[in-house]
Amino acid sequence: MAEARRSNSSQRVSWNATAVSATPLEPENISSEPLEALAIPGAGGWIGVFVQSCQSLQSQQQQQERWISDVAHELRTPLTALSLVTESLAQNPNKKQVVQIERLQRELDRLQRLVSDLLELNKLDNPSLNNTESSIKIVNIRDLVGKAWQTIAPLAEQHQIDLVLESSNAHPVMGNQTLLHRALLNLLDNALRFSPDETEINVKLQLEGRWQRIEISDQGNGFSPEDLQHMFERFYRGDPSRASAKRVGSGLGLAIVQQITIAHGGHIRARNNSSGGALLVLSLPVSP
């Protein structure tokens, strides 16, 4: 800054900022980030200083993903311990403790789902951790929809919500069965969360050129304009007043669906049905 004021001209300087962090697994971790400062002289002796990172966006994203993964792994152990304590308390609670224990268990379940979703996203974001190519095979989408529905069927039965599957135009796809099952499960669970009691969730399998379309629609209030703009962003949650169920998602379910879809060379879109309710359309390349 002194040189910029003396010469009345812009001055630029670069250096590496060193940071030291510690975790239980890594007692001392030293990292370095390249920084650059630009000093610009102004009127009245004022100096404007702009500091920016020279680290590439890709490097910053990788660092952020590593940090999220590390935090998620660190949270797993204490959450498991708390769950065990809660289960122990639930064996012989008094009347005042019942409600508190149920609330604690719900929150622990939500945090555990969040951690699992974070780790799943980290795996999808890192090809080196995601062994998708080695498990590619022909997948029967109709059967996979049925298996995904069986997972959430007990929740659906509580609210008298039925699945209506139209699969006359189904075609196998090439993909990772485990990941595609997760994508379908997330989509069906999302539809269930926003479905009023005693309604239906409709799934239509339709062949469109080289694409297998999977249309999942509910009879809820549909998406708001803000939902349609942000729904696939991480940690975004729609208007809670639209949800018929009291279950709260992690805000990562649809982001995981999008990542799985991209990994399979497909695409996913969302819109509202003309007759009401939300519609999500997942398109995957059909097998040769």
Side-chain angles (χ1 to χ4, degrees):
M1 288 190 295
E3 181 62 24
R5 184 178 287 111
R6 186 190 64 79
S7 63
N8 197 32
S9 62
S10 301
Q11 300 293 321
R12 189 185 303 270
V13 61
S14 302
W15 75 98
N16 285 330
T18 302
V20 179
S21 61
T23 67
L25 298 179
E26 298 180 358
E28 188 174 280
N29 182 25
I30 301 176
S31 60
S32 179
E33 180 179 358
L35 299 177
E36 181 181 76
L38 178 65
I40 303 176
W46 286 92
I47 301 292
V49 180
F50 301 90
V51 180
Q52 64 180 1
S53 171
C54 298
Q55 193 175 21
S56 69
L57 289 177
Q58 183 178 4
S59 241
Q60 292 181 40
Q61 184 179 7
Q62 290 174 349
Q63 185 177 5
Q64 181 183 18
E65 289 168 358
R66 285 195 300 270
W67 181 82
I68 291 175
S69 176
D70 290 344
V71 170
H73 278 290
E74 290 293 329
L75 285 172
R76 268 189 155 179
T77 301
L79 284 175
T80 301
L82 287 171
S83 293
L84 292 174
V85 172
T86 305
E87 289 175 6
S88 177
L89 292 173
Q91 291 178 1
N92 190 26
N94 58 46
K95 293 182 179 180
K96 293 182 179 180
Q97 292 175 330
V98 170
V99 175
Q100 295 175 334
I101 291 174
E102 288 179 352
R103 181 180 178 184
L104 177 60
Q105 188 61 60
R106 283 198 304 270
E107 292 301 315
L108 285 172
D109 290 343
R110 184 177 67 83
L111 286 173
Q112 287 176 328
R113 287 196 301 272
L114 175 60
V115 169
S116 297
D117 287 347
L118 283 171
L119 292 174
E120 182 70 23
L121 269 177
N122 180 67
K123 184 179 178 181
L124 291 168
D125 286 335
N126 291 273
S128 60
L129 300 178
N130 187 16
N131 196 22
T132 305
E133 293 183 0
S134 63
S135 53
I136 294 293
K137 60 181 181 180
I138 295 177
V139 178
N140 186 314
I141 287 295
R142 185 187 187 283
D143 291 346
L144 210 56
V145 170
K147 291 177 181 177
W149 179 254
Q150 287 176 3
T151 304
I152 60 173
L155 287 172
E157 290 171 0
Q158 292 176 11
H159 300 277
Q160 300 180 41
I161 297 174
D162 297 321
L163 174 72
V164 177
L165 175 59
E166 182 182 334
S167 59
S168 59
N169 203 4
H171 194 286
V173 302
M174 295 296 296
N176 181 306
Q177 183 164 322
T178 301
L179 292 180
L180 291 177
H181 179 273
R182 177 65 185 272
L184 292 172
L185 178 61
N186 284 5
L187 290 173
L188 290 170
D189 183 70
N190 185 77
L192 179 61
R193 188 178 292 114
F194 293 100
S195 292
D197 291 355
E198 301 180 9
T199 58
E200 297 174 345
I201 293 175
N202 295 86
V203 177
K204 183 178 181 181
L205 305 182
Q206 184 175 358
L207 188 63
E208 188 177 77
R210 66 183 187 89
W211 299 98
Q212 173 66 64
R213 285 166 53 99
I214 307 161
E215 301 180 359
I216 299 178
S217 59
D218 60 55
Q219 298 175 11
N221 296 326
F223 298 118
S224 67
E226 185 179 4
D227 288 340
L228 292 173
Q229 185 177 359
H230 301 289
M231 60 187 302
F232 294 109
E233 295 178 3
R234 299 180 184 191
F235 298 109
Y236 176 77
R237 292 177 182 168
D239 185 354
S241 64
R242 295 195 308 110
S244 303
K246 295 182 179 180
R247 292 181 299 119
V248 179
S250 66
L252 294 172
L254 292 180
I256 289 175
V257 173
Q258 186 180 54
Q259 287 297 98
I260 293 174
T261 304
I262 292 172
H264 285 79
H267 53 83
I268 184 167
R269 298 185 301 274
R271 65 174 186 268
N272 288 319
N273 274 319
S274 57
S275 58
L279 172 65
L280 283 158
V281 182
L282 173 63
S283 298
L284 297 169
V286 299
S287 63

